[in-house]
């Protein structure tokens, strides 16, 4: 059994719906060999990262940057995971009020330093809330979990 870790900041009803959609996709009944779990960034530990086979991160766009909660996660997990989890498949979803460019750049920079492998381009859900965001998040969760399930990552 492989583990897909979802570390996502969900400060609002809509961002929680996005996290739930990622989980729903990752837990599709046809995906049999992957266990997906969500941990908020403030509760995620280096041990969570060390025990996973892939990670999906989620954040709001805050002043053109990632949430403080996700930054705190990276601050606590960077060095304990640096040498051990190189090549970890990762993905990102962003709930952005603007275009998400700065947020993606910041997360991508940290993940490059960790030498994590981008399994999927960042999903940026920007502008006014759209129900389609949930479909996109579900597809992201399913894509990463299915890739783990069949051994692509």
């Amino acid at each position: 059994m492989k583990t897909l870790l979802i570390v996502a900041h969900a400060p609002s009803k809509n961002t929680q719906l996005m996290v739930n959609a990622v989980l729903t996709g990752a837990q599709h009944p046809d995906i049999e060999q992957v266990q997906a779990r969500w941990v908020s960034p403030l509760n995620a530990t280096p041990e969570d990262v060390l025990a996973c086979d892939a990670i999906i991160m989620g954040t709001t766009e805050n002043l053109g940057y990632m949430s403080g909660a996700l930054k705190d996660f990276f601050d606590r997990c960077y060095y304990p995971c640096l040498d051990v989890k190189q090549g970890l498949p990762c993905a990102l979803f962003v709930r952005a009020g603007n275009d998400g460019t700065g947020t993606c750049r910041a997360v991508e920079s940290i993940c490059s330093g960790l030498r994590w492998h981008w399994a999927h381009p960042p999903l940026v859900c920007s502008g006014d809330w759209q129900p389609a965001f949930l479909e996109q998040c579900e597809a992201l969760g399913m894509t990463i979990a299915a890739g783990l399930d069949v051994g692509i990552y």
Side-chain angles (χ1 to χ4, degrees), residues 104-147:
C104 291
R105 186 178 318 120
V107 174
E108 289 170 332
S109 175
I110 293 169
C111 292
S112 292
L114 286 163
R115 297 177 191 91
W116 290 358
H117 168 73
W118 287 98
H120 193 282
L123 169 62
V124 179
C125 301
S126 62
D128 293 336
W129 176 259
Q130 301 172 34
F133 293 163
L134 301 180
E135 295 168 14
Q136 295 167 351
C137 287
E138 186 172 337
L140 175 65
M142 189 182 312
T143 298
I144 301 304

Side-chain angles (χ1 to χ4, degrees), residues 47-104:
E47 291 74 23
D48 291 319
V49 178
L50 294 171
C52 78
D53 299 290
I55 186 169
I56 299 176
M57 298 154 290
T59 184
T60 51
E61 177 185 56
N62 293 3
L63 303 171
Y65 197 70
M66 73 185 89
S67 69
L70 190 63
K71 178 63 169 74
D72 175 75
F73 160 75
F74 282 127
D75 288 345
R76 289 180 293 102
C77 296
Y78 190 92
Y79 288 108
C81 299
L82 179 60
D83 292 330
V84 183
K85 294 307 283 190
Q86 292 182 18
L88 181 70
C90 68
L92 171 68
F93 66 96
V94 177
R95 175 62 186 112
N98 293 312
D99 66 3
T101 301
T103 306
C104 291

